Amino acid sequence: MTAAEMVGPIEPIDYRPAMGHFCTGVTVITAADDEGPVGFACQSFSALSLDPPLVLFCPMKTSGAWRTIERTGRFAVNVLSEHQQTVSSVFGSRHPDKFGQVRWTPSRGGSPLLDDALSWIDCTVEAVHEGGDHHIVIGRVQELSPPNPGRPLLFYRGRYTQTVTDPGQAIPRALSLDAFLTWPVGDDWM
């Protein structure tokens, strides 16, 4: 069947495996208020702009952590390393004491920064847009860490996976980014 022959609504049972073929990094989005710290594992995170420095993430509208972020107007993004599968699992669950399971310190803005993350990005909420059953949250970067050595925790087809090359190792010529980037204009911001 060709794409043109497909008709009807897209079913979640078909949508999820199709989207699972897109490899993503794993982050934990955190915030805190007078009631304590909150956080959730998040794959729907992306850099958005260099000038001004903006990022985006997409929480479910029913997320309890989102309610805290919405109230405080602040959040941190913790980019997990390949050794933090347990951290991802804790923050991807409804564990009653997620922050009792990990080491962390508050950022200057008060959001939890997880120990041993590859990097963290402390943000304020810039804008919120509707996105189906999720919000599209744009954050302005206020502070960030230098990256730690190591490899990222990746998620692909319902499982954790990892990169093949070591950090700093040259990409084989056959896989050069020059060959991969095909648009006819100059370099993108990355």
Side-chain angles (χ1 to χ4, degrees), residues 95-107:
H95 195 286
D97 185 20
K98 294 176 183 179
F99 288 90
Q101 307 299 305
V102 298
R103 294 184 331 247
W104 62 279
T105 56
S107 71

Side-chain angles (χ1 to χ4, degrees), residues 104-172:
W104 62 279
T105 56
S107 71
R108 287 188 236 210
S111 297
L113 305 176
L114 304 181
D115 288 5
D116 302 321
L118 283 183
S119 64
W120 54 260
I121 306 150
D122 200 29
C123 303
T124 54
V125 174
E126 181 87 0
V128 180
H129 303 281
E130 295 297 312
D133 57 3
H134 284 65
H135 292 294
I136 302 165
V137 180
I138 297 174
R140 183 177 289 259
V141 177
Q142 300 297 323
E143 187 175 7
L144 46 82
S145 71
N148 291 322
R151 294 191 243 191
L153 180 60
L154 302 175
F155 201 71
Y156 176 67
R157 295 180 66 188
R159 296 187 179 128
Y160 294 115
T161 189
Q162 62 187 23
T163 58
V164 176
T165 59
D166 287 326
Q169 183 178 351
I171 297 172

Side-chain angles (χ1 to χ4, degrees), residues 51-137:
D51 187 17
L54 301 173
V55 297
L56 70 80
F57 75 98
C58 302
M60 289 189 68
K61 288 181 177 178
T62 58
S63 167
W66 164 245
R67 288 189 289 278
T68 299
I69 294 166
E70 188 176 35
R71 274 194 310 274
T72 64
R74 302 196 66 87
F75 65 94
V77 180
N78 297 270
V79 179
L80 299 187
S81 78
E82 68 180 346
H83 303 292
Q84 293 182 295
Q85 290 181 18
T86 302
V87 173
S88 174
S89 295
V90 166
F91 282 91
S93 73
R94 295 192 184 277
H95 195 286
D97 185 20
K98 294 176 183 179
F99 288 90
Q101 307 299 305
V102 298
R103 294 184 331 247
W104 62 279
T105 56
S107 71
R108 287 188 236 210
S111 297
L113 305 176
L114 304 181
D115 288 5
D116 302 321
L118 283 183
S119 64
W120 54 260
I121 306 150
D122 200 29
C123 303
T124 54
V125 174
E126 181 87 0
V128 180
H129 303 281
E130 295 297 312
D133 57 3
H134 284 65
H135 292 294
I136 302 165
V137 180

